[in-house]
Amino acid sequence: MIPTVLIVDDSLTVRMDLNDAFSDDGFATILCATGAEARTAFASAAFDAAILDVLLPDADGLELLTELRGHAEHAGVVTMLLSVESEVADRLAGLRTGADEYVGKPYDAGYVVARTRQLLGDRHTARPGDGAPVILVIDDSMTFREELRELLEPEGYTVLTASGGEEGLRMAADRRPNAVIVDGVMPGIDGATVIRRIRLDPALRDTPCLLMTAADDYATEMQMLDAGADAFVRKQQDLAVVLAKLAAVLRQSAEQLPIEAIGSLHGPGKVLTVSPARETLDEWADALRTESYDIVSCTGVGDALELLGEQPADCVVLGLDLPGVHEACRRIREVPQVGEVPLIVTGEEKAMLDCLAAGADDYVKTSDIPEGLRVHVRAQIRRKQTHDESRRIREELMRRELDAAAERAARQLAETRAAMVEELEWRNRELEAFSGSVSHDLRGPLQVISSFAEHMLDEADDETLGEQTRHRITRIHAAALRMADLVESLLILAQASRGELRRATFDLTETAHQVCADVAARDPQHKVEFQVQDGMSADADEGLVRVILENLINNAVKFTRKVEQPVITVGCDQKNYFVRDNGAGFPAGKAGDLFRPFARLHDARDFPGTGIGLTTVHRAVERHGGEIRAEGEEGRGATFWFTLPAAETFGGPERRGHPRRSG
């Protein structure tokens, strides 16, 4: 998708200059000369960025910016203010109104375009042939550039071209090509210098570079390779050599770490200059604009700090003539978001040590300006970018190591947990088997004790036994019966916890009617109204479901003995089955204790039992992958809800077959 930029300026020269610069860089443009035309564009046109002149014949740029921000469809538009008013107050007003950038006139068109693309970020990085490797060709010969384009594009490459070294470096910083092909001899800076600058740029240093020249001697080839070229191609050779060597260097570069690159040294840069002398600020600006930097001038440290709080800079230059320059260095260093910005002081050599001790990163003697200032600014920005790149690589490698360590720890934890689960399951199986075995073996002795005690009570009269002896035998008989009930409950619990599930779809309504009839037959004196919902079915082990219903219904019958008109309901609500009664209920907040083995919430003299029934129900429901919960209030009955999800739902082990009958 081609990005579109709206350019609003009353100067025809400025409009056409920016139009040419943006068009050459692949943008579509919309040109407006007045505020009225801009407002029309706001309402009817779609664009990704806007360049607004602050001073227009019929409008104010800040007002237009406010109106633009008010349009919901233009909320994400990148905006840049362009003005001859370069005072800090004007710049701050523009940035605080909502501008992403503020550029003073005279401007550098290349900076405006590059900064716009930088602000757009990754939203419009797609190009014709997106996904194909991007090759930047730098050559002063239009004929040769087109020859390379015709060679590379049929092979699936996207080709960008530049006619000179400076333009090529800016384009490389902007587009981040996969490889650069550069001519060895060009006006301005030559190909070797272009490659050296690329190698000095932290963001571009790993970009493969092919250097082409008409020279035919071996010494030239060695010289170019020493400059940092990855390959050397003579123009006299068959151009197919270019394809072969390009494929080779791209193959090698594909093995690099995929770590996000930082900003390029040749990309749009901003330098903040601070001095009380306007002549000094103008001199510095003239020197640094040749490097395509955007220069922001301030006459005081307070203004500089305020401006840095709104918008970062790539480098700060302070004049020694600034009042309290040493304190200014310290103040700038103390600001967290500003402290790492390179700080350069200019002045007489005698003050160098004091300034460096105060926090300056570099010092430029007045006699070395302008060339010295350009070199030192470029070097400090490069140093900062190299430092950022190294830190980012360290952080990326550390993050990967932490991810790897976390993965190893997670794997070890999973293995340990699996081993513990396996051991726990084995121990549970052994415990359940032991419980079942012990319970089974206890039944015989308990039956003997109970039978002999019963015979003694039936055959002997009161005179033979005596009152105290009869009382003791009666207690022995009652204890043996209770122990037998407890053993029987433990056996049922063991059966509910072991064995293979035999799932089948069955009529739950019919099973509930059978269980209710069996429970009612055991105590015909206790009249209970049973209500069973019609049309219920379940996909489960019918034998275990019968155990669930028997325990829940028996429990409900027991706790309705003191109710005049007991009612027990068995029903289903959206796959949630329930057994409800209007009996004694249980204390609020104690529902979770009901399912613990041997837990009791009522006096055993009022409601006798073993305390195993609800534990058995809980085990049986869990084996089906379901859940059980209780609702109730003391004196107002209780409702037990449970689910029986199908095997496909909870993914547990299952065995399909005929329903197992129990009763």
Side-chain angles (χ1 to χ4, degrees), residues 103-252:
V103 177
K105 296 178 181 179
Y107 61 86
D108 180 277
Y111 174 87
V112 174
V113 174
R115 182 65 174 140
T116 301
R117 192 175 289 282
Q118 186 182 63
L119 290 170
L120 285 171
D122 296 330
R123 284 179 285 173
H124 297 284
T125 55
R127 297 289 185 273
D130 188 34
V134 177
I135 310 301
L136 173 60
V137 176
I138 307 173
D139 197 298
D140 60 324
S141 170
M142 179 181 294
T143 302
F144 194 72
R145 293 199 303 269
E146 292 307 313
E147 285 184 17
L148 287 179
R149 184 193 298 276
E150 293 174 0
L151 173 72
L152 296 173
E153 287 184 343
E155 298 297 324
Y157 296 105
T158 298
V159 179
L160 306 174
T161 62
S163 60
E166 293 288 358
E167 180 188 356
L169 287 172
R170 285 195 294 269
M171 189 171 290
D174 174 30
R175 304 298 183 88
R176 305 290 173 90
N178 299 93
V180 175
I181 301 176
V182 57
D183 187 15
V185 180
M186 295 182 295
I189 60 174
D190 60 10
T193 303
V194 170
I195 294 176
R196 289 192 188 97
R197 291 196 181 182
I198 287 176
R199 293 293 176 249
L200 290 172
D201 191 329
L204 300 174
R205 62 171 50 150
D206 293 325
T207 304
C209 296
L210 278 72
L211 195 142
M212 302 193 68
T213 183
D216 199 17
D217 59 287
Y218 185 73
T220 301
E221 180 175 351
M222 292 301 97
Q223 180 183 0
M224 298 306 178
L225 293 175
D226 285 340
D230 294 279
F232 181 89
V233 180
R234 293 184 177 87
K235 290 187 175 181
Q236 301 92 313
Q237 292 177 316
D238 188 341
L239 288 182
V241 175
V242 175
L243 290 175
K245 291 195 174 183
L246 181 60
V249 297
L250 287 174
R251 184 170 58 249
Q252 295 166 6

Side-chain angles (χ1 to χ4, degrees), residues 332-388:
I332 291 174
R333 282 284 173 257
E334 290 172 356
V335 181
Q337 66 269 30
V338 180
E340 294 186 358
V341 175
L343 181 59
I344 300 174
V345 178
T346 69
E348 299 300 326
E349 185 174 3
K350 61 183 180 181
M352 178 185 300
L353 295 179
D354 291 338
C355 291
L356 293 175
D361 295 292
D362 205 350
Y363 193 92
V364 179
K365 294 184 293 183
T366 305
S367 58
D368 291 338
I369 297 175
E371 184 60 32
L373 184 60
R374 285 195 293 266
V375 172
H376 282 259
V377 168
R378 186 166 60 240
Q380 285 302 318
I381 294 177
R382 181 188 303 122
R383 180 193 61 79
K384 174 64 165 52
Q385 290 179 338
T386 301
H387 172 73
D388 289 345

Side-chain angles (χ1 to χ4, degrees), residues 75-97:
V77 167
V78 166
T79 58
M80 182 181 297
L81 292 177
L82 203 62
S83 177
V84 294
E85 296 182 352
S86 57
E87 293 295 332
V88 172
D90 300 318
R91 185 178 292 268
L92 287 172
L95 294 173
R96 288 169 178 170
T97 303

